[in-house]
Amino acid sequence: AVPICKLENCQVCEYEARVLQNQGEKKKQKVTSTALVLHNPVDPNLQWMYADERTLEICGQSLKISQIQQAGTGSLVWESSVILSRYLEKNKNSALLNFGGGGKRIIELGAGLGVVSITCALLGCPCVVATDSDEGVLPALKSNLQKYTKTNDQNCRAERYEWGDLDSEVVRKGPYDVILGSDILYEVKSFEPLLKSILALGGVKSVVILTYKLRYEEQLAKFFKMAAERGLTVQHLDAQALHSMGLTDGVGNDDKTGIALAVLRFCAHK
């Protein structure tokens, strides 16, 4: 049996409790094997969850990302962000991303500590906007981004942005070529404002790439159905495909089948 975590203010416990709270008792009975992070504070494979800093190898660099034990859900470097960063690095010259083509404008939603945005900056994207609505993580987000994006020819910044706010300057400065998000599909009530923002931030040639933890199939199906109803096309890369690409190797102690990726396109919308 997995020991029950008894740490005070454990961010992992609070994160998963928040997920469950938004599902209702009926949904709780349908939890899949990957719905919860079964974490044990003494497990050496999970010590990153309780560390003040997490070290990641991204784009040939060793990144030291500060974590905030007393902030919200964006205060830890979750596995989904690591996998999305690896995906971007592996596919930087693909027809989908073509980062080598220059001029790509990137925005990340729910950036947390900024690992994905930092990856885009290291890959040479000239404009990267890392956004989060949590005031508690913004100082760390800004600090992490500044630490690894020091070149004068890049415009990489962190901004506070609330999903659904279509009057924000962040929206007015769009459209963006690539819209990114990792582990931001855990609350049904956020789906509507999230999709409003995605539609407002993108253009006809934009692409959206999301990584997400497989918690509730019905919940995820609802999001992608809502996206399709709004004219977005969806292509999935399941967890096994990501694993076969080597993107999940050594990522914490997470179930290798627990994270998937989706690519959404605007071609049917605008």
Side-chain angles (χ1 to χ4, degrees), residues 67-97:
Q67 300 191 131
I68 315 168
Q69 295 300 324
Q70 302 302 320
T73 56
S75 63
L76 297 177
V77 179
W78 297 100
E79 292 92 336
S80 291
S81 67
V82 179
I83 291 174
L84 180 52
S85 295
R86 291 177 175 179
Y87 176 86
L88 296 173
E89 183 178 3
K90 189 178 185 68
N91 294 277
K92 61 184 178 181
N93 295 321
S94 66
L96 177 68
L97 296 174

Side-chain angles (χ1 to χ4, degrees), residues 12-224:
V12 181
C13 288
E14 291 180 6
Y15 177 76
E16 296 297 346
R18 188 177 176 189
V19 173
L20 290 175
Q21 184 179 5
N22 286 278
Q23 306 308 312
E25 293 300 324
K26 183 177 180 180
K27 292 278 187 176
K28 290 181 184 179
Q29 304 304 315
K30 298 183 178 180
V31 175
T32 68
S33 61
T34 60
L36 297 177
V37 176
L38 299 178
H39 63 291
N40 172 4
V42 299
D43 187 335
N45 293 316
L46 297 180
Q47 288 304 300
W48 63 267
M49 292 181 175
Y50 311 98
D52 294 329
E53 184 178 81
R54 186 170 184 185
T55 301
L56 303 169
E57 298 298 324
I58 302 289
C59 299
Q61 294 194 34
S62 181
L63 308 184
K64 297 184 182 299
I65 306 297
S66 300
Q67 300 191 131
I68 315 168
Q69 295 300 324
Q70 302 302 320
T73 56
S75 63
L76 297 177
V77 179
W78 297 100
E79 292 92 336
S80 291
S81 67
V82 179
I83 291 174
L84 180 52
S85 295
R86 291 177 175 179
Y87 176 86
L88 296 173
E89 183 178 3
K90 189 178 185 68
N91 294 277
K92 61 184 178 181
N93 295 321
S94 66
L96 177 68
L97 296 174
N98 190 27
F99 283 172
K104 293 294 183 181
R105 305 182 72 245
I106 314 295
I107 188 167
E108 183 184 4
L109 301 176
L113 299 176
V115 173
V116 174
S117 291
I118 290 170
T119 299
C120 292
L122 293 177
L123 290 173
C125 297
C127 175
V128 182
V129 183
T131 69
D132 205 289
S133 64
D134 188 347
E135 295 280 6
V137 304
L138 281 175
L141 173 59
K142 291 179 180 179
S143 176
N144 287 331
L145 198 61
Q146 290 171 358
K147 186 189 307 182
Y148 295 106
T149 58
K150 296 181 179 179
T151 59
N152 294 328
D153 59 343
Q154 285 184 311
N155 178 16
C156 303
R157 65 187 188 277
E159 300 280 358
R160 186 182 184 280
Y161 177 64
E162 193 84 35
W163 298 345
D165 181 2
L166 305 187
D167 296 322
S168 168
E169 186 175 351
V170 170
V171 175
R172 291 198 296 270
K173 290 184 176 180
Y176 300 87
D177 299 299
V178 183
I179 302 170
L180 302 169
S182 62
D183 214 347
I184 59 175
L185 302 181
Y186 58 87
E187 287 187 311
V188 173
K189 66 180 181 181
S190 73
F191 290 174
E192 183 66 34
L194 173 58
L195 284 167
K196 283 184 178 179
S197 290
I198 287 174
L199 293 173
L201 293 166
V204 65
K205 295 183 178 180
S206 300
V207 61
V208 184
I209 306 177
L210 306 174
T211 49
Y212 50 92
K213 184 76 181 284
L214 296 170
R215 292 184 178 87
Y216 298 96
E217 293 183 4
E218 292 181 13
Q219 176 175 315
L220 291 168
K222 179 175 182 178
F223 173 80
F224 292 116

Side-chain angles (χ1 to χ4, degrees), residues 195 222-234 264:
L195 284 167
K222 179 175 182 178
F223 173 80
F224 292 116
K225 181 174 183 291
M226 291 172 65
E229 289 172 347
R230 286 155 179 77
L232 297 171
T233 62
V234 183
L264 291 76

